Amino acid sequence: MVISIQTMQTDTFLSALDHTRIERAIVAAELRTSGEFRVVIHHQAAADPMETARLQFEKLQMHRTHERNAVLLLVAPKSQTFAIYGDVAIHAKCGDAFWTEISTAIGDHFKNGRFTDGIVHAIDRAGTVLATHFPRRPDDKNELPDAVIDGGTVI
């Protein structure tokens, strides 16, 4: 789902984010589920945020997780948009209502300038839902890095 965010330049947006808090939210969510989470701050305008997210998902090889249950949150401040892209297993179990709920919540936070809160809320909510469908296994390994990605570079 694509929702417009408050007007803000990429650099200002990046400095407004609490990267440590976002990364801790990813770690906490992944302790409850075998699902994997990535956050990408895309520096170019994203004319089609879902397609941009899909391309980033593939570039980061997120489709190679064991259970095909990775989630990418892409934020493109230059075009004032974001997109949430989940792998096939998540979409099959959770459906469109799941993505709409999370996108709406992120949009509400972003409209009020609470960018970190919106991202953390999305990760936490997705982690809770994924834990019911993809509980963490005793032998679960972290398959993807947890760091926020800044236009292709890990921050």
Side-chain angles (χ1 to χ4, degrees):
M1 173 163 277
V2 178
I3 296 180
S4 180
I5 61 175
Q6 180 180 12
T7 301
M8 182 172 280
Q9 293 299 320
T10 304
D11 292 340
T12 306
F13 180 85
L14 282 171
S15 66
L17 289 180
D18 182 342
H19 301 111
T20 302
R21 191 168 153 224
I22 293 167
E23 291 165 12
R24 286 182 182 154
I26 292 170
V27 170
E30 290 179 357
L31 287 174
R32 300 185 314 240
T33 178
S34 63
E36 295 286 332
F37 298 88
R38 302 293 317 257
V39 174
V40 172
I41 309 304
H42 188 69
H43 285 247
Q44 300 350 238
D48 182 346
M50 282 303 291
E51 179 61 12
T52 302
R54 185 190 69 75
L55 292 170
Q56 285 293 310
F57 192 91
E58 288 179 6
K59 178 181 176 185
L60 295 168
Q61 299 186 1
M62 293 179 69
H63 60 285
R64 293 189 174 181
T65 59
H66 177 70
E67 294 186 60
R68 300 291 307 262
N69 59 354
V71 175
L72 173 72
L73 172 57
L74 177 123
V75 182
K78 201 173 246 184
S79 58
Q80 301 175 40
T81 56
F82 69 89
I84 304 169
Y85 190 89
D87 210 342
V88 293
I90 294 172
H91 191 69
K93 296 214 181 216
C94 299
D96 290 334
F98 170 69
W99 302 115
T100 300
E101 173 199 339
I102 292 176
S103 294
T104 300
I106 295 171
D108 290 344
H109 284 287
F110 279 17
K111 286 175 192 170
N112 292 306
R114 296 187 321 268
F115 302 109
T116 298
D117 291 344
I119 293 169
V120 167
H121 173 82
I123 294 165
D124 181 61
R125 180 68 183 128
T128 298
V129 172
L130 265 59
T132 63
H133 298 292
F134 304 98
R136 184 175 172 91
R137 298 175 317 277
D139 65 341
D140 187 69
K141 292 182 174 106
N142 191 9
E143 297 179 73
L144 300 171
D146 299 329
V148 174
I149 299 172
D150 172 15
T153 329
V154 176
I155 295 175

